[in-house]
Amino acid sequence: MQEAVRLQEARGRAEAGRALLEGPHLLVEALAAGAGVVEIFALVGDTTAAEAARSCGADLIPVDRRGLRRLATTEHPQSPVSVVAVPPPTALPAGHLLVAWGVGDPGNVGTLIRCAAAFGLGFAAGPETADPWAPKVLRAAAGGQFRTGVARVGGLAELRAGGRRLAATVARGGMPPAALPAGPVAVLVGDEARGLPAGVVADCDFSLTVPMPGGAESLNAAVAGAIVAYELAVGGRAAGD
């Protein structure tokens, strides 16, 4: 169990190449995607977890409530907590991308991944972004990692592959997402407090600001990313045009 507990920390995940899935929903998502689930820690009597272990060949390890709380990072965890092999970063897919660039908040990163998966976009994690396989990110993404994949990028040039143009989300002064031209776009979302670095914004092809007729000063980073992702998905700007 101690090796599994170490997966709560980034160093432990990096060394083991594994991550923790808390609760039944994430386990279902992982199994549906054919992910490598290797261990399932479950309360005695959790027949659903036992069946899942049989179906994928994972080790089923019975635990009590105390053991479950030790493994999980939530106050009231659900059985089971599973250990999954972290897949290698995916190659950047063609088409539109949602990019977390320096987003440190795990909840925002997870929500961006969930939005990318929901609207059919690829997802990429840029420099200084929270680990996409951290427990809180996985919970917020609701299994999105298994539906869209997670690419990692270290510079803007990588995002331009395939003729993709770059759009920086900014709190004010940008054009509305509805004005984006057709063609593949990588939408960069910055940290909640600091936003995108000025140099990154300057190197992008477009700056985007979500119109807020209600007068709010700004939007949550993940909410802004979700609105732009929706606009790309349904607004007629096909990635291949």
Side-chain angles (χ1 to χ4, degrees), residues 80-96:
V81 174
S82 309
V83 175
V84 64
V86 174
T90 60
L92 283 175
H96 299 312

Side-chain angles (χ1 to χ4, degrees), residues 1-20 38-39 41 59 61 70-71 81-84:
M1 181 184 289
Q2 184 58 36
E3 291 184 0
V5 171
R6 291 185 66 247
L7 301 179
Q8 295 174 355
E9 305 297 330
R11 180 176 178 179
R13 293 191 295 274
E15 291 177 350
R18 296 179 175 182
L20 291 174
V38 293
E39 293 176 325
F41 295 86
D59 293 332
I61 303 171
R70 185 181 174 199
L71 286 161
V81 174
S82 309
V83 175
V84 64

Side-chain angles (χ1 to χ4, degrees), residues 102-208:
V103 181
D105 181 79
N108 279 337
V109 174
T111 302
L112 289 169
I113 294 172
R114 185 173 186 174
C115 291
F119 297 124
L121 278 64
F123 175 82
E128 300 182 39
T129 291
D131 180 8
W133 295 96
K136 187 174 181 178
V137 177
L138 281 158
R139 292 197 303 273
Q145 288 90 337
F146 301 114
R147 283 178 269 119
T148 189
V150 174
R152 293 182 183 269
V153 293
L156 297 180
E158 299 169 61
L159 297 172
R160 293 188 180 277
R164 192 183 288 112
R165 288 180 287 182
L166 310 185
T169 55
V170 295
R172 55 191 60 84
M175 67 183 189
L180 271 172
V185 178
V187 176
L188 281 72
V189 179
D191 185 69
E192 181 88 19
R194 301 183 302 273
L196 291 167
V200 169
V201 175
D203 286 341
C204 288
D205 302 292
F206 313 105
S207 291
L208 301 178

Side-chain angles (χ1 to χ4, degrees), residues 9-35:
E9 305 297 330
R11 180 176 178 179
R13 293 191 295 274
E15 291 177 350
R18 296 179 175 182
L20 291 174
L21 306 178
E22 300 181 16
H25 175 73
L26 287 179
L27 177 58
V28 168
E29 290 284 344
L31 292 177

